[in-house]
Amino acid sequence: MKKTIALWAALTAVALLVTGCSGQQPGAEGPGAAPAPARTTAPSVEPPAGGEAPGAPGGAAAAYRKWGLKPFAAPPAPPAVKPVLRRAGGQVPVISEIPTTEKIVFITIDDGAEKDPEFVTMMKDLRIPVTMFLTDSAIRGDYAYFAPLVAQGHGLANHTLTHPNLRTLSQDAQRREICGQQTKLKDRYGTAPRLFRPPYGNWNEATRAAAAECGVDAIVLWRESMQIKNMQYQRGDRKLHPGDIVLAHFRGPSELKGRTMTEMTATMLRRIQEQGFTVARLEDYV
């Protein structure tokens, strides 16, 4: 009987060595090593700009279908060196597009007059990056509306305190408009904007000097502007070009002939997609 038990124990030990079914946890380095932690589910990967998350086919498509859209291709990785830089002590650059050969465009949304809660949901679902150029006179009654959009990672930028034609103002008055809004946005959202857009696209050299005093890295204009159903183009070929900056506004049915902010945004995204472009984050390039 003792011989039988001993033989059984020996055979069991050999079987354990062959199959690897020992009591040692995977990754332990030998006797006395700490057991490996329990296996947990890997965190979900956040897809950029509507791209599909690896291992989660259909996730982005479902979110886009909710808004009557198809998912965008993920944008290329941002360049290691930003193509638009303000040199130390140099003038603030003025840009309407980003130098690139990639089929990407950048969406910017101005003012902040319309505060449609559905737009916040839409941006959360689609995860298309936008940059918001906010004016204090348009948002002072409801700064809280934009907080979840900032929290989603959308860009926060400066569009002056009162939306004046800056070319009619002195440099000091322009500085008050720009720096004043820098301070308000930083106080409300915890970060000072790096980008500035002059109302109506009107600027002069005093604007550049004032913007530099306020810590602005670039003055951002645009190449296309989204209207109710179609884009308005600056170029004669009426087409998007790689790196173009697209202008839209926080507008509602009273200004969009009954259309909502989300309907206008969906139309803009379709126009971009129809031309084979995807959307990238402006702050990654400036």
Side-chain angles (χ1 to χ4, degrees), residues 91-114:
Q91 285 187 317
V92 174
V94 181
I95 59 171
S96 300
E97 70 270 343
I98 298 296
T100 181
T101 59
E102 303 280 0
K103 292 200 74 174
I104 55 175
V105 296
F106 305 90
I107 294 175
T108 61
I109 310 179
D110 279 11
D111 301 341
E114 178 68 12

Side-chain angles (χ1 to χ4, degrees), residues 59-80:
Y64 273 70
R65 278 196 302 271
K66 174 180 173 181
W67 301 99
L69 297 165
K70 296 178 181 179
F72 277 82

Side-chain angles (χ1 to χ4, degrees), residues 224-240:
E224 292 81 28
S225 60
M226 184 62 201
Q227 304 303 311
I228 297 173
K229 294 183 179 180
N230 293 297
M231 287 195 191
Q232 188 175 76
Y233 297 86
Q234 293 180 0
R235 300 184 185 92
D237 63 5
R238 296 179 57 80
K239 292 180 181 179
L240 295 171

